[in-house]
Amino acid sequence: MKRRLIWLLLTLCAATSIASAITPVTRLHAYKVEGDAIAHPLAGLSGDAARGASLVQQRHKSLCVLCHAGPFPDPHLQGTIAPDLTGVGARLSAGQLRLRIVNMKRLNPDSIMPVYFEIIADSQEVRVAETWRDRPILTAQEIEDLVAYLQTLR
Amino acid sequence: MLRFVLLAAVAFSSMARAEIPSKDKRSGFDFMSPQTQAMQSDETSNPGMLWVLDGERMWSESQGKAEKSCASCHEDAAKTMRGVAARYPAFDEQTKRPIDLAGRINRCRETRQDAPPLARESNELLTLSAYVAYQSHGMPITPAADRRLDKYRENGRAWFERRLGQLQLSCASCHDDRWGARLGGSVIPQGHPTGYPLYRLEWQAVGSLQRRLRGCLVGVRAEPFEYGASEYVDIELFLMSRAAGLKMETPAVRP
């Protein structure tokens, strides 16, 4: 009996913490996850590293530098709450970079990194602002541009 | 028995959050540059004092059909309003739910002065609120011990811990778990409501706690609540209990 109770307690804890951690998404874009990567470019698009270099620094659009530092201008305006992106192209493959931007929470449900390529299911408790409702943060093209750029950081 | 296990499990999982231990509690003041700290500390350079001084004048001005001023009922604010802001929001017998200081001021206007309520975030309401809250300057935050407030405070806590908006960040993600680190160019403070209404350099004006909360909500791409919404009051109630013991700083200065 005692063991059963402990077991019950543990599952309940797990259930409640997962429930609060999982980000509800309504629509999944078509892409295939293999291991910890999305091997194929989204929608078969090819990325442009120069566009990605400019996008990564746009704090109101890509938001990357709010959290991450990296080899970009204005280091005093870069965040310190996520890993430094210096050398990330040597650490991760294109496919690994892609999955991390598309949906980091598939790898770590507790991650604070926003989900860039899913639609957040809205509700009275989630309160997605009207301007941002029913759309992902970035487009497939923008994500491919970022992947192309991040690969050059070696 | 099952109920007990359930309660224990819920308590356990919410305890797993990194709440800030009392010894580490720090006002947003501590995270500011020495220049901004000096601007706040010296009353002759603190721009918020202009609102406070204006509020002192408004305090004894007759308003409404009743032709009464705040002073007609409350006399010397330095005595009668001392410590009030440090224990607000309080339970409101009329609506049977918590009311914040600005709401209380408007209630007095309607019922005692027979005057129309002042708009939230209007200069007059901020001015009066700043003057009243200034009477608690330096006093420790001591939330009202009224059990009827508990469920509203818990609602405030729930909003604090919920992942919100398109970015799916909770207040706790930043203010409990990552304070002291930098978000872009700003240091993340612990999010204590010690200084409101306060002068924010970015606003170039005095603003309320609700205006600050609105900023954080918009930041995570969440739909903000309407000014004056009960959710804001519940969140304030929770923030005040979370900040218990810290000193009131109204009018504070923030970047």
Side-chain angles (χ1 to χ4, degrees):
Chain A
M1 179 63 190
K2 206 165 172 190
R3 275 186 65 179
R4 260 187 62 190
L5 274 178
I6 290 172
W7 179 85
L8 187 61
L9 205 122
L10 284 175
T11 16
L12 276 168
C13 290
T16 47
S17 67
I18 287 171
S20 64
I22 280 187
T23 293
V25 288
T26 44
R27 205 183 316 156
L28 298 172
H29 289 262
Y31 59 79
K32 194 161 143 220
V33 180
E34 288 159 295
D36 74 337
I38 301 172
H40 298 287
L42 301 172
L45 295 162
S46 63
D48 177 307
R51 278 200 310 250
S54 124
L55 181 56
V56 86
Q57 294 171 47
Q58 292 175 33
R59 59 194 62 251
H60 296 293
K61 185 169 170 68
S62 73
L63 316 160
C64 311
V65 291
L66 288 183
C67 299
H68 293 275
F72 327 117
D74 297 329
H76 66 288
L77 296 179
Q78 298 170 8
T80 57
I81 59 180
D84 191 311
L85 293 175
T86 307
V88 76
R91 291 197 296 275
L92 300 171
S93 68
Q96 288 174 315
L97 290 167
R98 192 173 286 116
L99 176 59
R100 282 156 182 76
I101 304 173
V102 164
N103 188 351
M104 174 63 87
K105 291 181 173 80
R106 274 176 172 265
L107 299 173
N108 172 13
D110 287 331
S111 179
I112 54 161
M113 178 152 159
V115 172
Y116 280 92
F117 199 53
E118 310 279 15
I119 290 167
I120 304 299
D122 195 26
S123 73
Q124 284 187 341
E125 297 197 336
V126 175
R127 299 186 71 82
V128 177
E130 204 174 344
T131 343
W132 305 108
R133 228 168 272 162
D134 297 325
R135 59 190 190 93
I137 301 177
L138 295 177
T139 63
Q141 183 64 61
E142 287 163 340
I143 291 174
E144 289 309 320
D145 293 345
L146 286 170
V147 170
Y149 169 64
L150 294 179
Q151 277 186 279
T152 68
L153 299 182
R154 284 168 193 270
Chain B
M1 187 63 190
L2 184 65
R3 220 176 119 190
F4 164 79
V5 173
L6 236 156
L7 281 175
V10 170
F12 181 82
S13 64
S14 64
M15 258 164 51
R17 297 209 84 90
E19 277 181 28
I20 304 168
S22 337
K23 66 169 178 38
D24 295 335
K25 265 192 230 172
R26 283 156 68 189
S27 155
F29 181 89
D30 294 8
F31 300 93
M32 305 197 303
S33 71
Q35 293 89 319
T36 318
Q37 289 183 339
M39 187 191 236
Q40 170 174 326
S41 304
D42 176 2
E43 290 199 344
T44 60
S45 71
N46 182 333
M49 283 308 290
L50 296 174
W51 274 258
V52 171
L53 291 175
D54 229 24
E56 183 171 14
R57 183 181 51 73
M58 281 180 75
W59 182 258
S60 13
E61 257 175 28
S62 284
Q63 292 282 322
K65 296 209 192 84
E67 289 184 31
K68 276 190 188 144
S69 70
C70 313
S72 319
C73 294
H74 299 291
E75 298 172 11
D76 183 5
K79 297 199 185 90
T80 60
M81 294 295 127
R82 192 174 149 72
V84 172
R87 57 178 163 75
Y88 256 63
F91 190 80
D92 175 31
E93 298 292 348
Q94 189 177 319
T95 55
K96 302 286 176 224
R97 50 161 299 119
I99 189 169
D100 64 354
L101 197 58
R104 182 65 245 184
I105 291 171
N106 264 338
R107 176 66 55 70
C108 281
R109 278 182 65 88
E110 289 180 279
T111 60
R112 308 280 160 90
Q113 297 180 302
D114 201 0
L118 297 167
R120 287 271 167 176
E121 236 36 48
S122 64
N123 204 48
E124 292 105 312
L125 189 53
L126 288 168
T127 301
L128 273 174
S129 308
Y131 179 63
V132 173
Y134 176 67
Q135 310 309 322
S136 300
H137 186 103
M139 297 178 72
I141 291 178
T142 37
D146 185 333
R147 298 312 302 268
R148 294 173 299 178
L149 293 170
D150 290 358
K151 72 171 185 195
Y152 300 100
R153 189 180 299 113
E154 282 313 302
N155 186 43
R157 177 199 295 275
W159 279 113
F160 191 84
E161 293 179 347
R162 207 169 268 153
R163 283 177 178 259
L164 301 171
Q166 192 193 34
L167 304 191
Q168 288 289 288
L169 291 164
S170 68
C171 315
S173 321
C174 288
H175 295 297
D176 274 351
D177 301 345
R178 288 174 184 80
W179 58 268
R182 242 175 35 219
L183 180 76
S186 325
V187 179
I188 303 175
Q190 295 179 349
H192 295 304
T194 45
Y196 292 84
L198 57 69
Y199 186 89
R200 196 160 174 227
L201 300 173
E202 191 185 304
W203 297 332
Q204 301 268 300
V206 159
S208 70
L209 176 64
Q210 295 194 3
R211 182 166 179 197
R212 171 69 258 184
L213 299 184
R214 188 184 168 87
C216 284
L217 287 167
V218 170
V220 300
R221 299 186 174 180
E223 195 67 47
F225 304 103
E226 295 293 321
Y227 277 121
S230 63
E231 287 89 348
Y232 280 138
V233 181
D234 293 357
I235 295 173
E236 176 175 358
L237 199 57
F238 171 67
L239 291 178
M240 287 294 274
S241 72
R242 188 171 166 272
L246 290 178
K247 291 202 169 66
M248 291 288 295
E249 296 166 53
T250 312
V253 175
R254 291 290 181 270

mmCIF file of all heavy atoms in Angstrom, chain B residues 115-142:
data_model
loop_
_atom_site.group_PDB
_atom_site.id
_atom_site.type_symbol
_atom_site.label_atom_id
_atom_site.label_comp_id
_atom_site.label_asym_id
_atom_site.label_seq_id
_atom_site.Cartn_x
_atom_site.Cartn_y
_atom_site.Cartn_z
ATOM 1 N N ALA B 115 -17.870 63.022 -7.016
ATOM 2 C CA ALA B 115 -17.145 63.439 -8.225
ATOM 3 C C ALA B 115 -16.959 62.216 -9.117
ATOM 4 O O ALA B 115 -16.941 61.083 -8.620
ATOM 5 C CB ALA B 115 -15.784 64.013 -7.835
ATOM 6 N N PRO B 116 -16.844 62.414 -10.419
ATOM 7 C CA PRO B 116 -16.646 61.259 -11.312
ATOM 8 C C PRO B 116 -15.280 60.625 -11.066
ATOM 9 O O PRO B 116 -14.331 61.324 -10.681
ATOM 10 C CB PRO B 116 -16.718 61.854 -12.710
ATOM 11 C CG PRO B 116 -16.419 63.303 -12.536
ATOM 12 C CD PRO B 116 -16.867 63.681 -11.159
ATOM 13 N N PRO B 117 -15.162 59.305 -11.267
ATOM 14 C CA PRO B 117 -13.864 58.649 -11.061
ATOM 15 C C PRO B 117 -12.828 59.179 -12.042
ATOM 16 O O PRO B 117 -13.174 59.605 -13.145
ATOM 17 C CB PRO B 117 -14.152 57.172 -11.324
ATOM 18 C CG PRO B 117 -15.397 57.144 -12.134
ATOM 19 C CD PRO B 117 -16.188 58.359 -11.752
ATOM 20 N N LEU B 118 -11.575 59.173 -11.641
ATOM 21 C CA LEU B 118 -10.494 59.590 -12.534
ATOM 22 C C LEU B 118 -10.092 58.392 -13.383
ATOM 23 O O LEU B 118 -10.074 57.255 -12.895
ATOM 24 C CB LEU B 118 -9.299 60.057 -11.705
ATOM 25 C CG LEU B 118 -9.549 61.284 -10.819
ATOM 26 C CD1 LEU B 118 -8.410 61.462 -9.822
ATOM 27 C CD2 LEU B 118 -9.724 62.532 -11.683
ATOM 28 N N ALA B 119 -9.757 58.651 -14.650
ATOM 29 C CA ALA B 119 -9.363 57.547 -15.534
ATOM 30 C C ALA B 119 -8.069 56.925 -15.018
ATOM 31 O O ALA B 119 -7.188 57.619 -14.510
ATOM 32 C CB ALA B 119 -9.161 58.064 -16.945
ATOM 33 N N ARG B 120 -7.975 55.608 -15.138
ATOM 34 C CA ARG B 120 -6.730 54.900 -14.835
ATOM 35 C C ARG B 120 -5.619 55.502 -15.676
ATOM 36 O O ARG B 120 -5.835 55.820 -16.844
ATOM 37 C CB ARG B 120 -6.869 53.419 -15.202
ATOM 38 C CG ARG B 120 -7.735 52.655 -14.250
ATOM 39 C CD ARG B 120 -6.906 52.112 -13.126
ATOM 40 N NE ARG B 120 -7.761 51.636 -12.029
ATOM 41 C CZ ARG B 120 -7.280 51.035 -10.947
ATOM 42 N NH1 ARG B 120 -5.998 50.816 -10.808
ATOM 43 N NH2 ARG B 120 -8.080 50.635 -9.990
ATOM 44 N N GLU B 121 -4.443 55.672 -15.085
ATOM 45 C CA GLU B 121 -3.266 56.180 -15.797
ATOM 46 C C GLU B 121 -3.396 57.662 -16.145
ATOM 47 O O GLU B 121 -2.541 58.210 -16.822
ATOM 48 C CB GLU B 121 -3.007 55.345 -17.053
ATOM 49 C CG GLU B 121 -1.648 54.710 -17.198
ATOM 50 C CD GLU B 121 -0.956 54.205 -15.948
ATOM 51 O OE1 GLU B 121 -1.581 53.496 -15.131
ATOM 52 O OE2 GLU B 121 0.237 54.515 -15.780
ATOM 53 N N SER B 122 -4.502 58.327 -15.678
ATOM 54 C CA SER B 122 -4.576 59.779 -15.894
ATOM 55 C C SER B 122 -3.575 60.435 -14.961
ATOM 56 O O SER B 122 -3.230 59.889 -13.901
ATOM 57 C CB SER B 122 -5.983 60.301 -15.609
ATOM 58 O OG SER B 122 -6.297 60.116 -14.232
ATOM 59 N N ASN B 123 -3.131 61.621 -15.346
ATOM 60 C CA ASN B 123 -2.132 62.297 -14.541
ATOM 61 C C ASN B 123 -2.650 62.567 -13.125
ATOM 62 O O ASN B 123 -1.926 62.422 -12.154
ATOM 63 C CB ASN B 123 -1.715 63.584 -15.242
ATOM 64 C CG ASN B 123 -0.337 64.011 -14.808
ATOM 65 O OD1 ASN B 123 0.587 63.194 -14.782
ATOM 66 N ND2 ASN B 123 -0.194 65.253 -14.420
ATOM 67 N N GLU B 124 -3.945 62.933 -13.001
ATOM 68 C CA GLU B 124 -4.499 63.241 -11.671
ATOM 69 C C GLU B 124 -4.476 62.026 -10.764
ATOM 70 O O GLU B 124 -4.112 62.118 -9.589
ATOM 71 C CB GLU B 124 -5.957 63.715 -11.774
ATOM 72 C CG GLU B 124 -6.144 65.060 -12.432
ATOM 73 C CD GLU B 124 -6.685 64.900 -13.831
ATOM 74 O OE1 GLU B 124 -6.136 64.055 -14.594
ATOM 75 O OE2 GLU B 124 -7.654 65.592 -14.166
ATOM 76 N N LEU B 125 -4.879 60.873 -11.305
ATOM 77 C CA LEU B 125 -4.930 59.680 -10.455
ATOM 78 C C LEU B 125 -3.517 59.237 -10.058
ATOM 79 O O LEU B 125 -3.273 58.833 -8.909
ATOM 80 C CB LEU B 125 -5.685 58.549 -11.169
ATOM 81 C CG LEU B 125 -6.009 57.316 -10.322
ATOM 82 C CD1 LEU B 125 -6.745 57.688 -9.041
ATOM 83 C CD2 LEU B 125 -6.850 56.316 -11.114
ATOM 84 N N LEU B 126 -2.571 59.349 -11.004
ATOM 85 C CA LEU B 126 -1.190 58.992 -10.683
ATOM 86 C C LEU B 126 -0.637 59.944 -9.629
ATOM 87 O O LEU B 126 0.081 59.542 -8.710
ATOM 88 C CB LEU B 126 -0.320 59.066 -11.952
ATOM 89 C CG LEU B 126 -0.554 57.951 -12.974
ATOM 90 C CD1 LEU B 126 0.120 58.289 -14.297
ATOM 91 C CD2 LEU B 126 -0.026 56.620 -12.439
ATOM 92 N N THR B 127 -0.992 61.214 -9.753
ATOM 93 C CA THR B 127 -0.493 62.230 -8.831
ATOM 94 C C THR B 127 -0.988 61.970 -7.411
ATOM 95 O O THR B 127 -0.205 61.956 -6.455
ATOM 96 C CB THR B 127 -0.964 63.615 -9.331
ATOM 97 O OG1 THR B 127 -0.449 63.817 -10.643
ATOM 98 C CG2 THR B 127 -0.478 64.728 -8.441
ATOM 99 N N LEU B 128 -2.294 61.733 -7.275
ATOM 100 C CA LEU B 128 -2.838 61.449 -5.944
ATOM 101 C C LEU B 128 -2.275 60.145 -5.388
ATOM 102 O O LEU B 128 -1.915 60.054 -4.215
ATOM 103 C CB LEU B 128 -4.365 61.375 -6.009
ATOM 104 C CG LEU B 128 -5.117 62.705 -5.860
ATOM 105 C CD1 LEU B 128 -6.602 62.487 -6.087
ATOM 106 C CD2 LEU B 128 -4.861 63.340 -4.490
ATOM 107 N N SER B 129 -2.181 59.120 -6.252
ATOM 108 C CA SER B 129 -1.641 57.830 -5.790
ATOM 109 C C SER B 129 -0.195 57.992 -5.332
ATOM 110 O O SER B 129 0.222 57.412 -4.317
ATOM 111 C CB SER B 129 -1.661 56.774 -6.898
ATOM 112 O OG SER B 129 -2.930 56.669 -7.475
ATOM 113 N N ALA B 130 0.578 58.771 -6.092
ATOM 114 C CA ALA B 130 1.987 58.966 -5.728
ATOM 115 C C ALA B 130 2.085 59.676 -4.381
ATOM 116 O O ALA B 130 2.902 59.316 -3.530
ATOM 117 C CB ALA B 130 2.708 59.775 -6.812
ATOM 118 N N TYR B 131 1.216 60.670 -4.163
ATOM 119 C CA TYR B 131 1.250 61.411 -2.897
ATOM 120 C C TYR B 131 0.879 60.506 -1.724
ATOM 121 O O TYR B 131 1.543 60.502 -0.681
ATOM 122 C CB TYR B 131 0.306 62.619 -2.967
ATOM 123 C CG TYR B 131 0.281 63.405 -1.678
ATOM 124 C CD1 TYR B 131 1.434 64.038 -1.211
ATOM 125 C CD2 TYR B 131 -0.889 63.506 -0.922
ATOM 126 C CE1 TYR B 131 1.426 64.752 -0.022
ATOM 127 C CE2 TYR B 131 -0.908 64.214 0.269
ATOM 128 C CZ TYR B 131 0.255 64.830 0.709
ATOM 129 O OH TYR B 131 0.246 65.526 1.896
ATOM 130 N N VAL B 132 -0.154 59.694 -1.900
ATOM 131 C CA VAL B 132 -0.576 58.798 -0.812
ATOM 132 C C VAL B 132 0.504 57.736 -0.560
ATOM 133 O O VAL B 132 0.884 57.475 0.583
ATOM 134 C CB VAL B 132 -1.940 58.135 -1.132
ATOM 135 C CG1 VAL B 132 -2.280 57.081 -0.091
ATOM 136 C CG2 VAL B 132 -3.042 59.190 -1.194
ATOM 137 N N ALA B 133 1.038 57.150 -1.636
ATOM 138 C CA ALA B 133 2.042 56.090 -1.462
ATOM 139 C C ALA B 133 3.338 56.656 -0.867
ATOM 140 O O ALA B 133 4.037 55.958 -0.122
ATOM 141 C CB ALA B 133 2.322 55.398 -2.793
ATOM 142 N N TYR B 134 3.633 57.920 -1.168
ATOM 143 C CA TYR B 134 4.834 58.551 -0.620
ATOM 144 C C TYR B 134 4.803 58.586 0.916
ATOM 145 O O TYR B 134 5.845 58.542 1.568
ATOM 146 C CB TYR B 134 4.955 59.974 -1.189
ATOM 147 C CG TYR B 134 6.110 60.773 -0.638
ATOM 148 C CD1 TYR B 134 7.429 60.412 -0.918
ATOM 149 C CD2 TYR B 134 5.887 61.902 0.150
ATOM 150 C CE1 TYR B 134 8.499 61.148 -0.417
ATOM 151 C CE2 TYR B 134 6.943 62.650 0.650
ATOM 152 C CZ TYR B 134 8.251 62.266 0.370
ATOM 153 O OH TYR B 134 9.301 62.989 0.869
ATOM 154 N N GLN B 135 3.600 58.597 1.481
ATOM 155 C CA GLN B 135 3.481 58.623 2.946
ATOM 156 C C GLN B 135 3.966 57.316 3.571
ATOM 157 O O GLN B 135 4.093 57.212 4.788
ATOM 158 C CB GLN B 135 2.030 58.909 3.385
ATOM 159 C CG GLN B 135 1.380 60.126 2.709
ATOM 160 C CD GLN B 135 2.234 61.387 2.799
ATOM 161 O OE1 GLN B 135 2.887 61.639 3.831
ATOM 162 N NE2 GLN B 135 2.262 62.169 1.712
ATOM 163 N N SER B 136 4.207 56.293 2.739
ATOM 164 C CA SER B 136 4.743 55.019 3.254
ATOM 165 C C SER B 136 6.216 54.843 2.905
ATOM 166 O O SER B 136 6.792 53.772 3.139
ATOM 167 C CB SER B 136 3.959 53.837 2.669
ATOM 168 O OG SER B 136 2.608 53.915 3.025
ATOM 169 N N HIS B 137 6.816 55.883 2.312
ATOM 170 C CA HIS B 137 8.210 55.792 1.865
ATOM 171 C C HIS B 137 9.101 55.284 3.011
ATOM 172 O O HIS B 137 9.051 55.809 4.118
ATOM 173 C CB HIS B 137 8.698 57.167 1.400
ATOM 174 C CG HIS B 137 10.059 57.147 0.798
ATOM 175 N ND1 HIS B 137 10.274 57.209 -0.562
ATOM 176 C CD2 HIS B 137 11.280 57.034 1.365
ATOM 177 C CE1 HIS B 137 11.568 57.149 -0.804
ATOM 178 N NE2 HIS B 137 12.211 57.034 0.348
ATOM 179 N N GLY B 138 9.874 54.242 2.719
ATOM 180 C CA GLY B 138 10.809 53.723 3.725
ATOM 181 C C GLY B 138 10.208 52.675 4.653
ATOM 182 O O GLY B 138 10.922 52.026 5.414
ATOM 183 N N MET B 139 8.894 52.506 4.587
ATOM 184 C CA MET B 139 8.263 51.504 5.470
ATOM 185 C C MET B 139 8.280 50.128 4.808
ATOM 186 O O MET B 139 8.168 50.025 3.595
ATOM 187 C CB MET B 139 6.822 51.912 5.777
ATOM 188 C CG MET B 139 6.733 53.230 6.553
ATOM 189 S SD MET B 139 5.029 53.707 6.846
ATOM 190 C CE MET B 139 4.566 52.491 8.096
ATOM 191 N N PRO B 140 8.401 49.049 5.600
ATOM 192 C CA PRO B 140 8.412 47.720 4.988
ATOM 193 C C PRO B 140 7.018 47.327 4.481
ATOM 194 O O PRO B 140 6.010 47.686 5.096
ATOM 195 C CB PRO B 140 8.825 46.801 6.137
ATOM 196 C CG PRO B 140 8.484 47.544 7.374
ATOM 197 C CD PRO B 140 8.577 49.007 7.057
ATOM 198 N N ILE B 141 7.003 46.607 3.370
ATOM 199 C CA ILE B 141 5.741 46.095 2.834
ATOM 200 C C ILE B 141 5.185 45.053 3.804
ATOM 201 O O ILE B 141 5.882 44.109 4.180
ATOM 202 C CB ILE B 141 5.963 45.478 1.436
ATOM 203 C CG1 ILE B 141 6.296 46.610 0.451
ATOM 204 C CG2 ILE B 141 4.757 44.682 0.977
ATOM 205 C CD1 ILE B 141 6.580 46.140 -0.963
ATOM 206 N N THR B 142 3.941 45.273 4.256
ATOM 207 C CA THR B 142 3.318 44.373 5.233
ATOM 208 C C THR B 142 1.914 44.048 4.768
ATOM 209 O O THR B 142 0.961 44.747 5.120
ATOM 210 C CB THR B 142 3.214 45.045 6.622
ATOM 211 O OG1 THR B 142 2.919 46.436 6.417
ATOM 212 C CG2 THR B 142 4.479 44.918 7.425
#
